[in-house]
Amino acid sequence: MKKRTAGRKALYVILVVYAIITVIPFLWALSSSFKTLGEIVSGSINFIPKDFTLDNYKQIFTREPLFGRWLFNSLFIATVGTLLNLLFNSMAGYALARLSFPGKKSIFLMILAVLMIPFQVTLIPNFLILKELGWLNSYQGMIIPGAVNATFIFMMRQFFINFPKEVEEAAAIDGLGRFGTFFRIVLPLAKPALAAQTIFVFMAFWNDFMRPLIILSDQDMFTLPLGLNSFKGQFISFWNYIMAASMVFTLPIIVLYAFFNRYFVKGIKFTGDR
């Protein structure tokens, strides 16, 4: 027992040290976003700005007029893409977990096979398909190809396999059909799995750089990752602006995780069974 306690304490110490090492660069970047350029390049390492200023955040929206548009594009694409994933992945996962239909096993095996294909392999075929559809440099070209995800279909299937059938049977006795049971009973009770899926899918859309680089050509259609790349080239020596822009890019992820955090661990736990 004493060895187990000592080992647990040592693990906690290691995790705390790792967390501190990980969070220090973020805290420095956050602090630098409120500093003047002169203070940043002075060489002093301080986390509390001597001359606190909000001008950096004002400047990134005024000196780069498209910055607000890039932020909107990222929010719109990530939000709509996440909502479509929540709907389609959940419906597919529920069908694979609960319904009986011809080819069910083959479809499930195909989904597992898709998990083994690196996304880089599909970039060029996706580009050619979007070109034929006339969806290059458009919102639908960014959203529709990522509207379903094999990983989260599998995750939702695992969740629904462990979902109590008694709840669905009670709903059927009350006169609800399959769709009514799914949308009014099952889906609201799947919050842990949906929260975990929301965080992962939103982050994937939000952080995506490669697909926008290939699909988007007009600057006013750029997402934040793509826009920040050109922003960094334009203001390469203005670290105060770059840090402020990076914090704007990071904030939605932090807010999203803080909001769904209480469901996140529970969702991962439920979807890991069987």
Side-chain angles (χ1 to χ4, degrees):
M1 181 65 71
K2 290 184 178 179
K3 288 183 178 180
R4 184 180 298 178
T5 303
R8 183 174 296 179
K9 288 181 178 179
L11 178 61
Y12 286 157
V13 170
I14 293 172
L15 291 175
V16 168
V17 171
Y18 177 76
I20 292 173
I21 293 174
T22 303
V23 80
I24 282 177
F26 172 76
L27 292 178
W28 184 87
L30 178 61
S31 171
S32 298
S33 69
F34 297 106
K35 295 177 181 178
T36 61
L37 179 61
E39 186 176 351
I40 294 175
V41 300
S42 64
S44 61
I45 302 178
N46 58 304
F47 290 93
I48 301 176
K50 296 177 181 177
D51 299 313
F52 185 89
T53 178
L54 293 174
D55 287 344
N56 298 330
Y57 289 92
K58 295 177 183 177
Q59 289 294 326
I60 62 175
F61 285 97
T62 56
R63 295 191 64 173
E64 177 49 76
L66 288 176
F67 191 86
R69 178 61 186 264
W70 298 339
L71 179 60
F72 169 79
N73 290 342
S74 284
L75 284 172
F76 180 77
I77 291 170
T79 301
V80 175
T82 301
L83 292 175
L84 290 176
N85 269 271
L86 290 176
L87 176 63
F88 295 142
N89 296 340
S90 300
M91 292 178 70
Y94 182 77
L96 291 171
R98 284 289 191 264
L99 305 183
S100 296
F101 53 89
K104 173 181 172 180
K105 186 175 181 180
S106 299
I107 292 173
F108 181 60
L109 291 176
M110 287 176 60
I111 291 172
L112 293 181
V114 169
L115 295 177
M116 305 175 193
I117 302 174
F119 84 96
Q120 293 89 345
V121 174
T122 62
L123 281 175
I124 300 304
N126 278 337
F127 174 83
L128 296 175
I129 292 172
L130 293 176
K131 183 179 179 182
E132 289 297 319
L133 292 173
W135 285 4
L136 291 179
N137 200 46
S138 66
Y139 290 126
Q140 62 266 33
M142 286 295 302
I143 295 171
I144 299 303
V148 292
N149 188 296
T151 300
F152 298 108
I153 291 175
F154 175 77
M155 187 185 89
M156 295 307 296
R157 173 189 178 272
Q158 297 303 104
F159 178 87
F160 289 129
I161 281 178
N162 294 282
F163 192 84
K165 291 184 178 179
E166 293 81 6
V167 176
E168 298 172 71
E169 291 170 355
I173 292 173
D174 288 339
L176 283 178
R178 181 66 72 178
F179 277 96
T181 301
F182 176 74
F183 285 107
R184 296 177 62 179
I185 305 297
V186 176
L187 211 56
L189 294 176
K191 288 180 181 177
L194 293 176
Q197 185 181 173
T198 297
I199 293 173
F200 286 124
V201 173
F202 189 92
M203 286 181 61
F205 274 104
W206 187 260
N207 294 326
D208 194 5
F209 178 81
M210 187 63 69
R211 281 199 308 148
L213 181 64
I214 293 174
I215 296 172
L216 304 177
S217 55
D218 294 343
Q219 279 203 335
D220 61 349
M221 286 297 298
F222 281 4
T223 56
L224 263 182
L226 205 57
L228 284 177
N229 188 57
S230 62
F231 183 89
K232 184 177 67 174
Q234 183 180 354
F235 298 100
I236 189 168
S237 58
F238 292 89
W239 289 104
N240 50 335
Y241 298 155
I242 293 174
M243 291 299 103
S246 299
M247 288 302 104
V248 172
F249 177 70
T250 307
L251 183 61
I253 297 296
I254 296 175
V255 172
L256 184 74
Y257 184 77
F259 185 77
F260 288 107
N261 181 50
R262 59 177 176 159
Y263 300 111
F264 179 73
V265 176
K266 191 186 294 185
I268 296 299
K269 178 183 176 182
F270 284 161
T271 55
D273 297 336
R274 294 196 188 180

